Amino acid sequence: MSLFTDLSIPQLNISYKQPLGLFINNKYVASSDKKTIETVNPATNTPITSFYAASEADVGTAVAAAREAYETVWSKTSAEHRGALISNLGKLIVENKELLAAIETLDSGKPYYTNALGDLDQISQLTTYYAGGADKYSKGQMIPVNNDKYAYTVKAPYGVVAQIVPWNYPLAMASWKMQGALAAGNTIVIKPAENTSLSLLFFAQLFEKAGFPPGVVNVLPGLGAVTGSSLASHIDVDKIAFTGSTAVGQKVMALAATSNLKAVTLECGGKSPGVVFADANLDEAVKWTAAGIYYNSGQNCTANSRLLVQESIYDEFLAKFTRHVQEEWTFGFNSDPFDKSCTVGPVISKAQYDRVRGYIEHGKTQEKLSVKHMGTDPQNDGFFITPTVFTEVPAESKLFQEEIFGPVAVLQKFKDYDEAIALANNTTYGLASAVFTEDIRKANFFARDIKAGTVWINSSNDEEISVPFGGFKMSGIGRELGESGMDAYTQTKAVHVNISKL
Ligand SMILES: NC(=O)C1=CN([C@@H]2O[C@H](COP(=O)(O)OP(=O)(O)OC[C@H]3O[C@@H](n4cnc5c(N)ncnc54)[C@H](O)[C@@H]3O)[C@@H](O)[C@H]2O)C=CC1
Ligand code: BAL
């Protein structure tokens, strides 16, 4: 198989050269065992192309390249120069924005106009942030111990960092990890998800064009059980950062522990509550919570997938929510994610389609829950699932407890604040939460009492690249974005300075 193929996206009149090889030392190469993975367009269920999948031996080659680059070049490159290179990357991202967004839509099915371009805007903003942050954030401290001694701390990079990213925000999740790690002075081996590798493979060449030395950034597409677990268990990887399911996060952590005790950051699942009190502005609450579950077809780790509504407004909320979703959250013309009218794309794969459908069937037939489908399924082969809400779902229901990761919300009512917070915290996850109330005291009580890494007051899922992101409980370990996005990639070295004279 060749290392490049010509692909076209007729809806946008785009033709381009898609890299298909592993990116090691600034070059695309075939995998050592020549194994490949086929990727499918989820909007049509037709194959797009195949790309090379990294073997365990390829992981060794890429880690060695990253080690060599770290020891010989990158660890000697000033923070200022690292920032300048990330700034060059930022300019290339802007120049390639439409193409990168188009590849993302082709491979993941996310709507081009309402989602993919937005992802690219966030990536641009984040790249500028870390370009400027390289010589400003993650600084040490001076500690005046006593008259004869002071100490200072240095935020030292780990060295070689492995990163494993999922398919829901392929380039954005990669950028959340890569730009901060590079700014902090690490070299990288990153693995995209097997069903959305095309955008990161294209993106890889921008690092070379931006002036990054060979080996600083290496991209290894491949299977989780092969490439991913080889990275997690490699003894020359100093840190691993993972985003994906909690079950795989636990495996990654176990491999990290039993190999070389490498440092670990995990961003895993969620079952985030959206809590609507009777004194909320109902129209705003409806708008934000609908976006909070149906944006990106519900494939958001922070999706407010459990909607808890005070009983006095429950019926009114449900009526407004249903009307709003029917009007705003649709597959659009021809169910084509490249069409401006599409706000709900397909889910990522046949496996996810079956999984989400399985939850819907379980809710209907096993648990006999009431359900509303707010639209009709398209008559095509794509993996489209109509925005759905289950009502009056008890806390012990599988649908209330498990991450569905599709356009499926569960709704439940509560009497008062205490019941709301008890229901909201009734989950093994703790990634995010949203609360809607006009009472500033109640909003702040909620922010105090909820066990979650993010609290949105009167909004939902409006992430900011300058604000730390990460989970409590089984949603993860560590924080990304903001200054934390560089801190996560440094370790503190303490230097003791004795100035006493005998
Ligand atoms: N928190 C989040 O953003 C995400 C959560 N999920 C959750 O996971 C569920 C299943 O989706 P999957 O695609 O199966 O997620 P996953 O957790 O298997 O995939 C995420 C990444 O981990 C890699 N991976 C898989 N097995 C691995 C292993 N043994 N060692 C190292 N890396 C490995 C995959 O190749 C991919 O790059 C979803 O329904 C959703 O609930 C999935 C993707 C993103
Ligand atoms: N909303 C981006 C973070 C995530 O869903 O994984």
Side-chain angles (χ1 to χ4, degrees):
M1 192 180 81
S2 150
L3 289 169
F4 295 87
T5 191
D6 293 321
L7 290 182
S8 54
I9 302 168
Q11 295 97 320
L12 297 176
N13 209 11
I14 284 178
S15 296
Y16 77 101
K17 212 165 260 317
Q18 173 64 51
L20 305 172
L22 324 178
F23 187 77
I24 302 176
N25 267 328
N26 280 358
K27 286 195 174 54
Y28 291 102
V29 295
S31 51
S32 53
D33 59 9
K34 305 288 183 289
K35 285 200 175 145
T36 59
I37 295 175
E38 183 181 74
T39 188
V40 166
N41 178 344
T44 57
N45 191 11
T46 50
I48 302 169
T49 186
S50 295
F51 53 85
Y52 284 105
S55 64
E56 191 180 345
D58 297 321
V59 169
T61 307
V63 171
R67 173 61 61 196
E68 172 79 7
Y70 179 74
E71 301 297 345
T72 60
V73 185
W74 201 238
S75 59
K76 298 172 175 49
T77 302
S78 69
E80 196 182 10
H81 189 59
R82 294 197 302 266
L85 294 181
I86 298 170
S87 176
N88 294 346
L89 176 73
K91 290 179 195 130
L92 290 165
I93 293 170
V94 172
E95 279 170 28
N96 287 277
K97 173 180 163 179
E98 283 76 19
L99 175 54
L100 288 166
I103 302 172
E104 208 74 311
T105 297
L106 177 71
D107 209 15
S108 77
K110 64 171 64 202
Y112 176 76
Y113 289 99
T114 56
N115 294 38
L117 287 172
D119 286 9
L120 264 297
D121 284 337
Q122 187 198 54
I123 293 165
S124 286
Q125 200 190 351
L126 172 151
T127 307
T128 307
Y129 180 89
Y130 288 117
D135 62 357
K136 296 178 192 65
Y137 304 142
S138 269
K139 282 200 179 125
Q141 281 180 301
M142 196 288 209
I143 304 164
V145 180
N146 60 40
N147 232 12
D148 291 330
K149 180 177 182 182
Y150 70 94
Y152 63 92
T153 61
V154 176
K155 295 277 191 166
Y158 278 99
V160 176
V161 165
Q163 302 175 325
I164 300 177
V165 292
W167 39 261
N168 54 343
Y169 291 87
L171 265 189
M173 289 302 99
S175 293
W176 282 27
K177 293 190 171 17
M178 295 173 86
Q179 277 82 318
L182 292 168
N186 302 275
T187 58
I188 291 174
V189 182
I190 183 166
K191 191 195 96 58
E194 35 282 72
N195 32 25
T196 54
S197 296
L198 297 188
S199 56
L200 191 56
L201 284 177
F202 186 90
F203 193 69
Q205 63 196 308
L206 302 188
F207 287 94
E208 196 255 324
K209 289 188 178 143
F212 283 82
V216 172
V217 172
N218 304 278
V219 178
L220 291 190
L223 297 174
V226 178
T227 319
S229 55
S230 301
L231 284 170
S233 54
H234 200 291
I235 55 160
D236 203 28
V237 168
D238 300 304
K239 157 133 203 184
I240 186 149
F242 167 84
T243 296
S245 60
T246 296
V248 173
Q250 288 175 306
K251 283 189 197 172
V252 165
M253 194 165 176
L255 290 172
T258 50
S259 52
N260 61 343
L261 212 61
K262 57 179 69 63
V264 177
T265 296
L266 300 177
E267 203 265 271
C268 299
K271 193 74 187 178
S272 301
V275 178
V276 186
F277 285 98
D279 62 1
N281 178 318
L282 214 51
D283 291 332
E284 284 178 18
V286 162
K287 183 195 85 169
W288 282 107
T289 53
I293 178 64
Y294 299 122
Y295 186 79
N296 217 40
S297 303
Q299 301 170 126
N300 273 316
C301 52
T302 49
N304 51 223
S305 49
R306 292 183 299 138
L307 298 177
L308 310 173
V309 182
Q310 198 150 17
E311 59 188 5
S312 59
I313 55 155
Y314 182 89
D315 291 340
E316 190 186 356
F317 176 89
L318 181 57
K320 283 193 174 207
F321 184 80
T322 307
R323 202 161 48 244
H324 173 79
V325 175
Q326 283 165 341
E327 286 165 5
E328 300 293 329
W329 294 97
T330 64
F331 304 133
F333 177 70
N334 259 348
S335 305
D336 179 2
F338 284 104
D339 194 86
K340 282 202 166 102
S341 58
C342 178
T343 53
V344 181
V347 297
I348 188 67
S349 62
K350 177 75 169 63
Q352 275 305 110
Y353 179 85
D354 290 343
R355 191 171 176 273
V356 176
R357 284 252 171 250
Y359 277 105
I360 294 173
E361 277 319 299
H362 173 89
K364 283 182 185 173
T365 55
Q366 305 287 310
E367 297 197 26
K368 312 264 185 261
L369 297 167
S370 300
V371 65
K372 271 176 189 263
H373 297 291
M374 294 168 286
T376 43
D377 291 339
Q379 299 303 302
N380 62 25
D381 295 329
F383 309 129
F384 291 88
I385 297 180
T386 300
T388 296
V389 61
F390 282 89
T391 55
E392 304 208 28
V393 180
E396 54 280 9
S397 163
K398 187 175 154 83
L399 274 65
F400 191 96
Q401 292 296 338
E402 295 183 15
E403 184 177 50
I404 300 174
F405 226 63
V408 182
V410 300
L411 196 61
Q412 182 54 290
K413 55 178 78 156
F414 65 85
K415 281 193 192 56
D416 54 19
Y417 178 85
D418 287 345
E419 193 182 6
I421 200 76
L423 276 172
N425 278 328
N426 186 343
T427 167
T428 54
Y429 294 115
L431 191 55
S433 59
V435 61
F436 297 86
T437 172
E438 294 296 295
D439 179 345
I440 189 168
R441 204 180 287 265
K442 203 176 338 176
N444 280 287
F445 285 160
F446 182 87
R448 180 194 63 195
D449 296 337
I450 191 75
K451 293 186 174 68
T454 293
V455 184
W456 283 292
I457 297 177
N458 291 328
S459 75
S460 185
N461 278 270
D462 51 337
E463 289 149 1
E464 304 293 344
I465 51 112
S466 54
V467 180
F469 178 98
F472 283 25
K473 303 199 273 184
M474 292 189 77
S475 288
I477 296 173
R479 296 293 177 268
E480 301 187 297
L481 296 183
E483 294 188 33
S484 314
M486 279 178 63
D487 277 345
Y489 293 102
T490 64
Q491 48 193 339
T492 301
K493 182 186 280 181
V495 182
H496 296 244
V497 184
N498 173 22
I499 54 173
S500 68
K501 259 185 132 191
L502 283 181

